Structures are given as structure tokens and as C-alpha cells.
Amino acid sequence: MNKLVHIIIAIILPPLAVFLKSGMGKDLVINIILSLLFFIPGVLHALWLITK
């Protein structure tokens, strides 16, 4: 998938973007927890995973 599409998905739905990039795993669990606590850390974590 195009990296730009991943970035847009990461801004709208961070856990979905992490799932598409990494699949099921610890990164997805971390992102869900961050997104539930506060939305911005979840977005930052997703963007970091996509761009690394």
C-alpha cells in the first residue's frame, strides 16, 4: 500500500494503520492502549511505526 495512504489512515484510525503495517502483535496492543488513553499518542506511535 502507498505510504501516503498509510499516513492518512494513521491520522484517522491509528490502530488500523498499525495492524496493516505490523499485523497482530505487541505494536498493535501498545497502539490500542495509547489510543484509548489519549488519541494523540496513538497517532504519533502509528506515524512512527509507518515511517521507520
Side-chain angles (χ1 to χ4, degrees):
M1 210 185 267
N2 190 357
K3 192 175 262 193
L4 180 62
V5 174
H6 274 264
I7 291 172
I8 293 169
I9 294 172
I11 293 170
I12 298 170
L13 290 170
L16 178 62
V18 172
F19 176 74
L20 291 174
K21 180 71 175 179
S22 304
M24 296 291 287
K26 65 179 179 176
D27 290 328
L28 180 63
V29 173
I30 291 169
N31 192 270
I32 290 172
I33 291 170
L34 287 172
S35 295
L36 288 175
L37 291 175
F38 193 64
F39 191 70
I40 301 299
V43 171
L44 293 176
H45 179 254
L47 289 173
W48 177 73
L49 283 175
I50 289 170
T51 59
K52 79 172 186 175

